[in-house]
């Protein structure tokens, strides 16, 4: 059952990701992305990560996608601007893409996790995922957590600098 | 709560607070000079705490050792010189916003975290902090299309490289069950070999992107040319050195069981980097683009110190990066002097006959170009000499020979600038250099660094040797 569900989610994720990139209409793109986010949340659920699944739906599907839709509406894209590709040579691009694919598959093919950290699936099932995550995040991983807050601060300041500063010419 | 366990983090904590202070005061203080001075003060305050911070914090997740301390001084030198050369330049570019300085501080903070990271997650977050600030800085001149293009290119490719580094880290976590770098060696020896090499390849690709190794260098010329010159000078030294710090710590401390693999991967990349950097630099007519290719080539030399995989090799790399900071920022500050109202100062043609009108500035540019080529008695020679020596000690004579050959090729385009300055008649009327006391001070510091390390390298070599000893 789990394998079947995982297979379903992964196939849909791949197909929908392609549709996000290839859709002509940006609104369709965003809606495909909504579907994508829900399926990723499904994968998280399969991994016993219910907190991540909920955050995925609330933050990505809820907040970020609505933001995307609003941006598209405000930009009022009537007609798609069509440009030729900036760089030629798709055979070379295809060759590199295939090489990367082969490398990734080769890496994952024989992958047997030799060590399982202190938080295996059993520990998480008894402790519950949210509690485990909170415990680890605010004790052992406190430093990365605090660094992440500085990263977010820089992102906010950067957005203000690039979007709001008056142009002087 | 035992506060002494935070001691290794003290410089970073102080620097974060100073960064927040600079960011807040920028709203109240109109004079940007005051903000710049405040930035320099915060460098001084933090530098005071660095020597006392040695130790490990959070179970080895954050490490402050002689190696990271050496890098932190390189980052501070980079930040100090960048602040000094930025003041007048930003006014000329009409982009005098106070956020510039806090972004520089946070980018440097990211580099410090990268140099001290004992855990792959901390390393990644430091990298992201450094990169995000640099993306914004690259697009800081908002009304310039080239600056916008540089920022967007850097951002898109940087986002891909972040994805690649995360994939590599996740593979390593799957194989070892830990992200602590010091735990990796004994667990990797029993790990599945193909998957660990694939993880290694992904790490090489993403760190190679940050330090601009061929074939991950494609973004460099466009971004370096388009970004504001002061930011280019900052980017060409700081993030590059931070990338080398990460490479050294992850590969030498963590991926030691894979040393045989990464040694030859890095050797091939180093040769390709030196070849592409030096040969493509020859045909550039824009000096910023030329210096971009030159910075690619220098990454090729520096990575040779890692290929040697010995304490001497590592300390020669540290030494090289410090010297590179002096000479490269020196060269960029002369480029900034050439930029004045209505003159870009980027075309090589504009340097024709410069020595007639500005003999002192030309002499300094001559010094930096000689140093970048590696001609004694400048510091550039010392840097290259010790890298080649470390290679020969490990029996990698062929690599040293290849590197010397490419050094000779590089003389062509560095000395061409000198030839333009000294052996041609001025073609264009140069309006006047945009000199300012701060810019003069920066060039002077860079020039003194290049000469002193070139003539009397002993102290720097000793400190670098100490820093390099620690890791392997």
């Amino acid at each position: 059952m789990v394998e079947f569900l995982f297979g379903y989610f992964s196939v849909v994720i791949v197909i929908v990701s392609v549709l996000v990139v290839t859709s002509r209409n940006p609104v369709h793109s965003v809606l495909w992305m909504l579907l994508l986010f829900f399926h990723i949340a499904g994968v998280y659920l399969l991994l016993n990560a219910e907190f991540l699944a909920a955050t995925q739906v609330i933050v990505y599907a809820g907040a970020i996608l609505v933001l995307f839709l609003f941006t598209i509406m405000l930009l009022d894209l009537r007609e798609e601007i069509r440009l030729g590709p900036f760089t030629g040579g798709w055979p070379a691009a295809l060759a590199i893409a295939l090489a990367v694919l082969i490398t990734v598959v080769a890496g994952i093919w024989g992958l047997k996790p030799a060590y399982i950290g202190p938080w295996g699936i059993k520990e998480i099932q008894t402790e519950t995922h949210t509690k485990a995550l909170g415990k680890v995040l605010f004790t052992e991983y406190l430093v990365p957590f605090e660094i992440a807050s500085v990263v977010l601060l820089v992102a906010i300041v950067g957005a203000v600098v690039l979007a709001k500063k008056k142009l002087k010419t | 709560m035992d506060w002494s366990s935070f001691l290794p983090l003290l410089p970073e904590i102080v620097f974060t607070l100073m960064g927040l202070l600079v960011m807040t005061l920028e709203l109240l203080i109109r004079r940007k000079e005051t903000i710049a001075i405040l930035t320099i003060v915060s460098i001084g305050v933090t530098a005071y705490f660095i020597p006392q911070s040695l130790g490990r914090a959070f179970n080895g997740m954050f490490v402050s050792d002689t190696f990271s301390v050496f890098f932190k001084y390189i980052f501070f030198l980079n930040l100090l010189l960048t602040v000094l050369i930025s003041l007048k330049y930003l006014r000329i570019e009409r982009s005098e916003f106070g956020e510039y300085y806090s972004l520089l501080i946070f980018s440097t903070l990211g580099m410090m975290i990268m140099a001290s990271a004992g855990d792959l997650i901390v390393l990644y977050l430091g990298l992201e902090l450094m990169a995000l600030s640099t993306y914004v800085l690259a697009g800081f001149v908002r009304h310039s299309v080239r600056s916008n293009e540089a920022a967007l290119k850097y951002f898109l490719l940087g986002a891909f490289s972040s994805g690649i580094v995360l994939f590599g880290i996740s593979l390593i976590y799957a194989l070892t069950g830990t992200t602590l770098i010091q735990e990796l060696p004994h667990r990797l020896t029993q790990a599945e070999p193909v998957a660990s090499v694939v993880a290694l390849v992904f790490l090489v690709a993403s760190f190679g992107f940050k330090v601009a190794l061929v074939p991950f260098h494609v973004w460099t010329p466009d971004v370096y040319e388009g970004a504001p010159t002061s930011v280019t000078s900052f980017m060409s030294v700081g993030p590059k050195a931070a990338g080398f710090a990460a490479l050294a710590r992850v590969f030498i401390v963590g991926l030691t069981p894979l040393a045989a693999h990464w040694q030859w991967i890095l050797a091939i990349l180093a040769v390709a980097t030196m070849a592409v950097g030096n040969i493509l630099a020859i045909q550039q007519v824009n000096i910023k683009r030329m210096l971009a290719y030159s910075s690619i080539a220098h990454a090729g030399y520096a990575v040779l110190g890692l290929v040697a995989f010995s304490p001497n090799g590592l300390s020669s790399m540290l030494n090289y990066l410090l010297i590179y900071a002096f000479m490269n920022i020196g060269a960029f500050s002369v480029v900034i002097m050439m930029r004045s109202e209505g003159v870009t100062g980027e075309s090589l043609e504009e340097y024709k006959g410069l020595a007639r009108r500005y003999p002192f500035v030309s002499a300094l540019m001559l010094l930096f170009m000689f140093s970048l080529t590696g001609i004694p008695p400048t510091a550039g020679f010392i840097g290259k000499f010790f890298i080649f020596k470390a290679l020969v000690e490990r029996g990698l004579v062929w690599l040293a020979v290849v590197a010397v050959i490419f050094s000779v090729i590089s003389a062509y385009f560095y000395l061409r600038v000198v030839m333009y300055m000294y052996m041609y008649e001025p073609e264009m009327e140069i309006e006047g250099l945009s000199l300012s006391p701060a810019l003069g001070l920066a060039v002077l510091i860079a020039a003194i660094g290049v000469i002193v390390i070139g003539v009397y390298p002993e102290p720097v070599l000793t400190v670098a040797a100490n820093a390099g000893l620690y890791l392997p």
Side-chain angles (χ1 to χ4, degrees), chain A:
Chain A
M1 185 59 185
V2 176
E3 280 85 358
F4 171 75
L5 278 176
F6 180 75
Y8 162 75
F9 282 130
S10 13
V11 169
V12 174
I13 283 173
V14 171
I15 294 173
V16 171
S17 311
V18 173
L19 285 172
V20 170
V21 188
T22 50
S23 288
R24 279 281 149 82
N25 187 330
V27 177
H28 291 176
S29 259
V30 172
L31 292 177
W32 284 123
M33 210 193 289
L34 181 68
L35 208 57
L36 173 70
F37 287 155
F38 275 114
H39 282 81
I40 292 176
V43 175
Y44 282 140
L45 273 184
L46 283 183
L47 295 168
N48 272 300
E50 62 270 5
F51 180 75
L52 277 185
T55 335
Q56 172 81 17
V57 171
I58 295 169
V59 175
Y60 282 90
I64 292 181
L65 263 180
V66 174
L67 206 68
F68 277 180
L69 278 176
F70 264 104
T71 317
I72 292 169
M73 264 162 50
L74 291 174
L75 283 176
D76 191 20
L77 295 170
R78 296 255 166 81
E79 211 161 299
E80 194 189 9
I81 308 162
R82 306 193 85 176
L83 292 171
F86 292 117
T87 50
W90 66 268
L94 187 70
I96 292 171
L98 279 179
V100 174
L101 182 69
I102 290 168
T103 321
V104 173
V105 171
I108 297 175
W109 201 256
L111 189 71
K112 280 190 284 302
Y115 296 88
I116 291 164
W119 293 99
I121 213 88
K122 249 191 217 102
E123 285 81 0
I124 285 183
Q125 272 171 346
T126 49
E127 188 88 15
T128 75
H129 175 252
T130 314
K131 204 172 164 189
L133 195 70
K135 264 188 181 170
V136 175
L137 197 58
F138 293 105
T139 56
E140 208 182 325
Y141 285 87
L142 187 64
V143 179
F145 182 75
E146 295 299 338
I147 299 171
S149 62
V150 185
V151 174
L152 290 178
L153 176 73
V154 166
I156 297 168
V157 174
V160 171
V161 168
L162 289 184
K164 287 305 253 185
K165 283 284 172 186
K166 277 202 193 92
L167 287 173
K168 299 182 193 171
T169 41

Side-chain angles (χ1 to χ4, degrees), chain B residues 326-341:
Chain B
F326 279 115
M327 57 193 188
N328 210 46
I329 299 185
F332 271 114
S333 18
V334 176
V335 177
I336 281 189
M337 280 184 188
M338 295 291 289
R339 171 82 169 98
S340 49
E341 297 289 341

